[in-house]
Short mmCIF file of all heavy atoms in Angstrom, two decimals:
data_model
loop_
_atom_site.label_atom_id
_atom_site.label_comp_id
_atom_site.label_asym_id
_atom_site.label_seq_id
_atom_site.Cartn_x
_atom_site.Cartn_y
_atom_site.Cartn_z
N PHE Z 33 91.54 87.65 60.83
CA PHE Z 33 90.16 87.22 60.79
C PHE Z 33 89.67 86.99 62.27
O PHE Z 33 90.23 86.37 63.04
CB PHE Z 33 89.92 85.95 60.03
CG PHE Z 33 88.56 85.46 59.95
CD1 PHE Z 33 87.70 85.89 58.98
CD2 PHE Z 33 88.08 84.66 60.88
CE1 PHE Z 33 86.32 85.57 58.96
CE2 PHE Z 33 86.77 84.24 60.96
CZ PHE Z 33 85.86 84.70 59.95
N PRO Z 34 88.56 87.64 62.55
CA PRO Z 34 87.85 88.77 61.73
C PRO Z 34 88.68 89.98 61.85
O PRO Z 34 89.47 90.14 62.73
CB PRO Z 34 86.45 88.86 62.41
CG PRO Z 34 86.80 88.40 63.82
CD PRO Z 34 87.78 87.36 63.84
N PRO Z 35 88.44 90.98 61.00
CA PRO Z 35 89.09 92.23 61.00
C PRO Z 35 88.80 92.95 62.38
O PRO Z 35 87.82 92.67 62.93
CB PRO Z 35 88.44 93.01 59.94
CG PRO Z 35 88.04 91.96 58.93
CD PRO Z 35 87.51 90.93 59.81
N THR Z 36 89.80 93.70 62.83
CA THR Z 36 89.69 94.33 64.12
C THR Z 36 88.34 95.18 64.26
O THR Z 36 87.69 95.21 65.22
CB THR Z 36 90.82 95.36 64.35
OG1 THR Z 36 92.01 94.56 64.31
CG2 THR Z 36 90.74 96.02 65.71
N GLU Z 37 87.91 95.87 63.14
CA GLU Z 37 86.72 96.68 63.08
C GLU Z 37 85.50 95.81 63.33
O GLU Z 37 84.53 96.17 64.12
CB GLU Z 37 86.53 97.39 61.84
CG GLU Z 37 87.60 98.52 61.58
CD GLU Z 37 88.90 97.92 61.01
OE1 GLU Z 37 88.98 96.67 60.82
OE2 GLU Z 37 89.93 98.72 60.91
N ASP Z 38 85.50 94.63 62.74
CA ASP Z 38 84.36 93.69 62.95
C ASP Z 38 84.30 93.16 64.39
O ASP Z 38 83.18 92.98 64.96
CB ASP Z 38 84.45 92.48 61.94
CG ASP Z 38 84.19 92.96 60.55
OD1 ASP Z 38 83.85 94.15 60.33
OD2 ASP Z 38 84.31 92.09 59.69
N LYS Z 39 85.43 92.90 65.01
CA LYS Z 39 85.50 92.39 66.36
C LYS Z 39 84.91 93.46 67.25
O LYS Z 39 84.18 93.26 68.20
CB LYS Z 39 86.90 92.00 66.71
CG LYS Z 39 87.36 90.75 66.07
CD LYS Z 39 88.87 90.41 66.51
CE LYS Z 39 88.95 89.91 67.89
NZ LYS Z 39 90.22 89.35 68.18
N LEU Z 40 85.33 94.70 67.05
CA LEU Z 40 84.83 95.76 67.91
C LEU Z 40 83.32 95.98 67.83
O LEU Z 40 82.60 96.21 68.74
CB LEU Z 40 85.59 97.09 67.54
CG LEU Z 40 86.97 97.27 68.09
CD1 LEU Z 40 87.69 98.46 67.43
CD2 LEU Z 40 87.00 97.26 69.55
N LEU Z 41 82.94 95.95 66.52
CA LEU Z 41 81.43 96.09 66.24
C LEU Z 41 80.64 94.94 66.97
O LEU Z 41 79.61 95.28 67.60
CB LEU Z 41 81.19 96.08 64.70
CG LEU Z 41 79.66 96.12 64.39
CD1 LEU Z 41 79.14 97.51 64.93
CD2 LEU Z 41 79.55 96.10 62.85
N MET Z 42 81.14 93.70 66.86
CA MET Z 42 80.37 92.60 67.52
C MET Z 42 80.43 92.78 69.02
O MET Z 42 79.42 92.44 69.73
CB MET Z 42 81.06 91.27 67.09
CG MET Z 42 80.82 90.92 65.63
SD MET Z 42 81.29 89.29 65.22
CE MET Z 42 83.06 89.51 64.92
N HIS Z 43 81.53 93.35 69.53
CA HIS Z 43 81.64 93.51 70.95
C HIS Z 43 80.55 94.57 71.43
O HIS Z 43 79.85 94.40 72.42
CB HIS Z 43 82.96 93.95 71.37
CG HIS Z 43 83.39 93.92 72.82
ND1 HIS Z 43 84.69 93.82 73.26
CD2 HIS Z 43 82.57 93.92 73.88
CE1 HIS Z 43 84.66 93.80 74.63
NE2 HIS Z 43 83.35 93.83 75.01
N VAL Z 44 80.56 95.65 70.69
CA VAL Z 44 79.54 96.72 70.96
C VAL Z 44 78.09 96.13 70.95
O VAL Z 44 77.28 96.41 71.78
CB VAL Z 44 79.76 97.92 70.08
CG1 VAL Z 44 78.58 98.88 70.14
CG2 VAL Z 44 81.06 98.64 70.29
N MET Z 45 77.84 95.41 69.85
CA MET Z 45 76.55 94.84 69.64
C MET Z 45 76.05 94.00 70.78
O MET Z 45 75.03 93.98 71.36
CB MET Z 45 76.44 94.14 68.31
CG MET Z 45 76.45 95.07 67.04
SD MET Z 45 76.57 94.12 65.55
CE MET Z 45 74.97 93.37 65.47
N ALA Z 46 77.03 93.14 71.27
CA ALA Z 46 76.70 92.22 72.39
C ALA Z 46 76.50 92.93 73.69
O ALA Z 46 75.54 92.73 74.43
CB ALA Z 46 77.94 91.27 72.54
#
Side-chain angles (χ1 to χ4, degrees):
F33 179 86
T36 301
E37 293 80 4
D38 288 357
K39 289 178 74 171
L40 285 171
L41 178 59
M42 288 188 282
H43 196 156
V44 169
M45 290 173 68

